[in-house]
Amino acid sequence: MEVGGVRRFNRVVTQRVGALQEAYLARGRSLGLDRVLWEIGLDGCDVRSLRARLDLDSGYLSRLLRSLESSGLVRVERSGGDGRVRIARLTKAGVAEREVLDRRSDELAVSILEPLNERQQERLVAAMDEVSRLLTASMVRVGVVDPRRPDAQYCVQSYFAELGRRFDAGFDHTRSISADNAELTLPTGLLLMATLHTEPVGCGGLKLHGAEPAEIKRMWVSPEARGLGLGRRLLTELEREAIAHGAPAVRLETNRNLTEAIALYRAAGYREVPAFNTEPYAHHWFEKSLR
C-alpha cells in the first residue's frame, strides 16, 4: 500500500485549503463548524441525516450545533410530524453567513487555479474529480447482513424493479429461481450489503451448497453509486465468502440485457458455460473456479 503517498497528499491538501487555520476562510470558526453550517442548507436538514452525511459522532455533532446555535446562526427544533426527529435550520444570520462562505470558497478555488496555466488547470480539476470518486469509493462499507432488515429489503426490491425495467418481458421474481431470506441466511447462504453514509447502495447474495459450487444472486448497485467500482468489490467479497465456506467455485446466470454485468463477470475471470439450471430469464451462464 502507498501509505506514504496518501499521507503526503493529505498534508498538502489540508494546508492548501486552509484546514489548519484556526479560523477557516477568516470567519472566526473552524472548518468543521463551517462545513456543518453549509451542509444544513437553505431548506434545513434533520440531524440524523446530517450526522450520516458527514460521518460524525453524534456527540461531536451536537457540540458543533450548540456552538452554531450560541452564535445565532442555527436553530435546532423538533419536527412537527415526529417529535423524535430534530431539524437544524439556518437563521437569517445563518443564511447570510452561508452566502459569505460560498463567496469565499469560490475565491479560494480561484486562488488555487489562478497560478496555473490552462492545461494545468484542466489536469488539476480532472485529478480532483478522480480523487473524489476514489475517496467516495473508499467510504463504502460492505458486510454480511440479515436479509430481513428493511434496508436489505430495499436493495432487493430495487434489484427486482430494475430488472423489471430492463428485461424485454419484465421480471416476476416468483417465476425466477428462488433466493429468499432463508436461503440467504447462514448456514445456507448470506447477503452482503454496501452502504455509503449509512445509506444502502448495493447488495449481493450467495447460496451455499457445501462442497458444490456456490450461486451468486441478487447483484445490484444503486445508480447513484455506479462508477465507484462497487460491482467488482461486491463480486470479490462474495468470492471470498464462498472460499471461506468451502465452495470450490461460484456460478451465476444473467440476462442478455445486463451488458454491464456481463462485461464485469468476464473481466473478473468468469467463463461462459452451458446452462446449469432452468432460470427462465437467463441467456448466459458463468462459472469461476476458486482453487
Side-chain angles (χ1 to χ4, degrees):
M1 291 188 183
E2 294 290 339
V3 174
V6 172
R7 294 186 60 183
R8 284 193 299 275
F9 175 81
N10 289 343
R11 290 194 294 272
V12 171
V13 170
T14 53
Q15 181 176 355
R16 187 62 186 88
V17 302
L20 303 179
Q21 303 298 322
E22 185 175 0
Y24 183 64
L25 296 177
R27 298 308 294 164
R29 292 179 303 273
S30 68
L31 172 59
L33 285 167
D34 280 345
R35 180 63 186 275
V36 170
L37 180 69
W38 193 87
E39 287 289 346
I40 289 171
L42 300 179
D43 297 324
C45 180
D46 74 82
V47 174
R48 187 181 307 167
S49 297
L50 188 63
R51 180 169 66 84
R53 191 187 309 162
L54 295 175
D55 284 330
L56 292 178
D57 172 81
S58 58
Y60 180 54
L61 178 59
S62 294
R63 292 193 295 275
L64 293 176
L65 288 171
R66 284 197 298 271
S67 179
L68 291 170
E69 282 186 289
S70 66
S71 300
L73 301 175
V74 168
R75 67 177 184 276
V76 179
E77 55 196 21
R78 299 287 178 183
S79 169
D82 186 345
R84 297 169 299 177
V85 176
R86 295 190 304 150
I87 306 295
R89 301 188 189 279
L90 300 182
T91 63
K92 185 176 180 179
V95 171
E97 187 62 23
R98 192 177 187 275
E99 291 174 355
V100 173
L101 285 176
D102 268 342
R103 186 173 65 253
R104 296 209 173 175
S105 294
D106 286 345
E107 292 169 355
L108 174 60
V110 169
S111 76
I112 292 172
L113 294 170
E114 207 167 36
L116 307 177
N117 61 42
E118 185 175 350
R119 176 59 182 149
Q120 288 175 318
Q121 291 179 10
E122 291 172 355
R123 288 173 56 201
L124 177 60
V125 172
M128 286 176 165
D129 286 341
E130 178 70 3
V131 168
S132 294
R133 283 192 296 273
L134 292 173
L135 287 178
T136 300
S138 76
M139 290 189 283
V140 175
R141 297 184 176 95
V142 176
V144 177
V145 299
D146 185 336
R148 299 163 187 82
R149 281 175 40 168
D151 45 5
Q153 284 297 302
Y154 164 82
C155 289
V156 172
Q157 293 302 318
S158 296
Y159 165 79
F160 290 158
E162 179 159 352
L163 297 191
R165 291 190 298 270
R166 298 187 63 177
F167 287 5
D168 295 331
F171 178 74
D172 178 358
H173 73 90
T174 63
R175 293 186 58 226
S176 180
I177 291 176
S178 68
D180 59 28
N181 291 340
E183 292 174 298
L184 297 182
T185 302
L186 289 171
T188 58
L190 57 87
L191 182 72
L192 292 179
M193 186 174 71
T195 57
L196 178 61
H197 307 311
T198 74
E199 294 296 320
V201 293
C203 66
L206 193 68
K207 292 172 66 174
L208 298 167
H209 303 292
E212 296 298 314
E215 294 178 76
I216 291 177
K217 308 292 288 185
R218 309 298 192 240
M219 276 280 292
W220 173 78
V221 174
S222 167
E224 292 76 18
R226 290 172 192 174
L228 301 178
L230 182 52
R232 184 62 175 264
R233 182 175 170 189
L234 282 167
L235 196 59
T236 299
E237 293 293 337
L238 288 168
E239 291 169 7
R240 287 175 180 165
E241 291 289 347
I243 291 170
H245 289 88
V250 283
R251 288 175 169 177
L252 58 89
E253 70 281 339
T254 192
N255 185 278
R256 62 188 170 207
N257 291 322
L258 302 181
T259 53
E260 309 94 327
I262 293 170
L264 169 65
Y265 302 142
R266 286 179 171 150
Y270 286 71
R271 62 185 181 90
E272 195 155 0
V273 296
F276 48 75
N277 61 25
T278 57
E279 170 58 54
Y281 294 103
H283 301 102
H284 301 273
W285 286 259
F286 291 94
E287 182 173 302
K288 181 178 181 179
S289 173
L290 299 177
R291 291 184 171 169

